[in-house]
Amino acid sequence: MEDYIPITKLNDFIFCPLSLYFRSCYNKFKENLFYQEKIIEGKMEHEKIHQDKLKNRWKLINFPVYSSYYKLFGKIDEYDEITQELIEYKNNINKVYDGYKMQLYAQARCLETMGYQVKKIKLKSIQTKEEIEIALPSRTEMKKFEKLIENIRYYDIFKYLKYQNKCQNKCRKCIYKELCNDD
Ligand code: SF4
């Protein structure tokens, strides 16, 4: 795998390691041919938020971040320089998945490497406007985070083929289910 890891891969990998492989195949094609309608709507909502808030000079919006220590890169949705809050927008939040937390931890670490202090991290639901504060990572959470990065860095598709269409609930909702078939 490449040296630097996109932060979005953390969530994908936790959802299912195999989805990383399918995502890399899809990325070679136009995204609107393959992404489900819901996901496209969610992406457009994200764009709207970034657009609306661009006028606010106290906030970093859609801001590129990186960490040379963890070799991660990506973009944050919103960081308030006054309150030192980092916010990640999701179209709708039914549950706070581990992947969401890991993404926020990664973004916070990147911001800190770049000289910004992060005092609070939050998820915001675009549809319901609900705001969920996430505790800053404990030492144990940071170990999990570092282990996750290591697993992604040394990703080997053959190690994960056993997951293929076996995790019933996930697979039903998965956008790659048509291609992920061991028949
Ligand atoms: S269909 Fe199931 S096994 Fe295949 S990528 Fe999706 S979640 Fe993973």
Side-chain angles (χ1 to χ4, degrees):
M1 299 207 54
E2 66 276 357
D3 213 16
Y4 272 69
I5 298 171
I7 292 173
T8 49
K9 276 194 178 176
L10 274 56
N11 194 21
D12 291 346
F13 190 84
I14 289 179
F15 175 71
C16 173
L18 269 188
S19 71
L20 278 197
Y21 169 74
F22 290 113
R23 179 191 266 259
S24 68
C25 296
Y26 279 166
N27 281 346
K28 296 186 181 118
F29 300 91
K30 279 188 174 246
E31 67 177 8
N32 62 357
L33 284 177
F34 291 96
Y35 277 63
Q36 283 181 343
E37 208 176 302
K38 262 190 188 171
I39 293 174
I40 291 171
E41 281 168 12
K43 279 176 165 259
M44 286 164 73
E45 284 300 322
H46 263 74
E47 292 306 317
K48 215 159 48 184
I49 280 179
H50 295 149
Q51 204 65 44
D52 289 346
K53 295 193 174 178
L54 277 175
K55 297 171 199 132
N56 192 333
R57 66 194 176 101
W58 300 112
K59 291 181 179 176
L60 305 178
I61 305 289
N62 204 15
F63 185 69
V65 292
Y66 73 96
S67 161
S68 49
Y69 180 77
Y70 288 111
K71 295 210 180 323
L72 291 169
F73 74 97
K75 275 186 181 178
I76 55 153
D77 281 341
E78 186 176 315
Y79 171 75
D80 188 317
E81 290 185 78
I82 305 297
T83 60
Q84 299 177 329
E85 281 179 359
L86 167 66
I87 299 170
E88 164 79 5
Y89 286 88
K90 298 288 178 198
N91 195 35
N92 200 9
I93 303 170
N94 301 317
K95 185 181 164 188
V96 178
Y97 294 101
D98 269 0
Y100 293 174
K101 289 192 204 171
M102 294 295 159
Q103 272 186 307
L104 275 164
Y105 298 163
Q107 292 171 0
R109 285 293 169 264
C110 288
L111 275 171
E112 284 163 359
T113 307
M114 295 165 75
Y116 298 96
Q117 215 187 331
V118 178
K119 281 193 179 156
K120 280 187 184 170
I121 52 178
K122 284 180 178 174
L123 287 168
K124 264 193 192 177
S125 161
I126 295 167
Q127 279 187 14
T128 63
K129 316 265 184 265
E130 187 191 3
E131 214 175 87
I132 302 167
E133 189 169 338
I134 310 290
L136 291 172
S138 62
R139 199 172 283 196
T140 314
E141 289 287 292
M142 280 313 291
K143 277 192 185 152
K144 262 171 71 179
F145 171 74
E146 283 167 6
K147 183 72 190 156
L148 172 65
I149 294 172
E150 191 187 309
N151 287 341
I152 296 174
R153 197 168 298 289
Y154 299 106
Y155 174 77
D156 172 3
I157 187 172
F158 296 108
K159 196 170 139 194
Y160 296 107
L161 281 175
K162 62 179 184 294
Y163 291 113
Q164 206 166 37
N165 269 337
K166 299 282 189 303
C167 38
Q168 300 297 325
N169 280 335
K170 274 185 196 177
C171 296
R172 261 198 296 275
K173 290 184 239 158
C174 180
I175 58 173
Y176 308 119
K177 66 181 175 219
E178 304 302 334
L179 288 185
C180 186
N181 200 326
D182 56 357
D183 290 344

